[in-house]
């Protein structure tokens, strides 16, 4: 059959280089199926939206956690500052002196220092003795503590001389016990 007769061709006949290139492609018109492509695009868009939702939720959760941690940090900083003020007030010189006197301590005498060669530098002196009346009630000798409790409304904390606090009382008052 000669070309152009009987059978009507939809494609023009190609010659030369165009004909060689046309042989590389399939003869029929290849039509890509649209359903898988549309499904792929819908899945990609849906997955992207779900991913954005999860990411946004995670960022919001992190933001709330950050706010909670900032609040905790502020509270702990305030507590630390309050505790530091307490430490500063207890370590002030007048507060230390008052507490030392309440415990029966007295200012020390002149110190002496030992050199490396064994010689003594300075002249040591003993701390001044306190009278029994100046001692706190718990550190007074039992007989003085009993008389002081009669004259004051403070509770008596000292006991008889056979108590275990008797050596502590003697040592605190500066007296030395014989053998």
């Amino acid at each position: 059959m000669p070309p152009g007769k009987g059978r009507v061709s939809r494609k023009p006949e190609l010659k030369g280089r165009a004909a060689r290139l046309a042989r590389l492609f399939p003869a029929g018109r290849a039509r890509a199926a649209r359903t898988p492509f549309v499904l792929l695009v819908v899945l990609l868009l849906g997955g992207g939206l779900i991913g954005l939702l999860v990411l946004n939720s995670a960022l919001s959760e992190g933001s709330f956690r950050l706010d909670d941690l900032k609040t905790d940090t502020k509270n702990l900083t305030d507590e630390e500052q309050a505790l530091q003020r307490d430490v500063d007030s207890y370590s002030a010189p007048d507060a230390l002196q008052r507490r030392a006197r309440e415990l029966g301590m007295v200012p020390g005498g002149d110190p002496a220092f030992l050199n490396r060669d064994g010689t003594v530098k300075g002249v040591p002196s003993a701390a001044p003795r306190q009278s029994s009346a100046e001692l706190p009630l718990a550190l007074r000798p039992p007989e003085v503590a009993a008389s002081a409790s009669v004259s004051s409304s403070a509770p008596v904390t000292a006991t008889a001389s056979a108590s275990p606090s008797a050596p502590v009382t003697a040592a605190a008052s500066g007296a030395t016990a014989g053998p």
Side-chain angles (χ1 to χ4, degrees):
M1 226 191 220
K5 290 195 178 179
R7 192 170 138 198
V8 178
S9 174
R10 290 187 173 174
K11 284 176 31 177
E13 212 170 298
L14 301 174
K15 297 180 184 178
R17 184 174 179 191
R20 285 186 304 227
L21 288 173
R23 279 185 264 161
L24 296 174
F25 294 109
R29 183 173 180 203
R31 195 174 241 204
R34 288 191 170 197
T35 306
F37 177 72
V38 171
L39 187 61
L40 177 69
V41 170
V42 168
L43 285 176
L44 286 175
L45 288 175
L49 288 176
I50 291 173
L52 285 174
L53 179 65
V54 169
L55 181 65
N56 192 18
S57 298
L59 288 175
S60 296
E61 181 182 348
S63 176
F64 287 127
R65 178 83 174 125
L66 182 64
D67 288 341
D68 291 343
L69 290 175
K70 282 183 180 178
T71 303
D72 291 346
T73 301
K74 183 186 176 298
N75 291 339
L76 290 174
T77 302
D78 292 344
E79 184 179 348
E80 178 190 16
Q81 289 174 352
L83 291 172
Q84 187 62 44
R85 279 193 304 270
D86 290 347
V87 167
D88 291 343
S89 69
Y90 289 132
S91 64
D94 57 337
L96 287 175
Q97 183 180 15
R98 182 180 42 80
R99 275 296 286 152
R101 291 216 183 270
E102 288 173 1
L103 293 172
M105 298 176 148
V106 295
D110 294 330
F113 301 98
L114 291 177
N115 294 325
R116 290 181 185 255
D117 60 356
T119 60
V120 178
K121 181 178 182 180
V123 178
S125 65
R129 290 185 179 226
Q130 270 187 317
S131 67
S132 299
E134 293 175 351
L135 287 174
L137 190 59
L139 298 178
R140 293 180 188 172
E143 59 278 354
V144 176
S147 66
S149 67
V150 171
S151 63
S152 69
S153 62
V156 177
T157 57
T159 58
S161 62
S163 73
S165 66
V168 173
T169 306
S173 67
T176 57

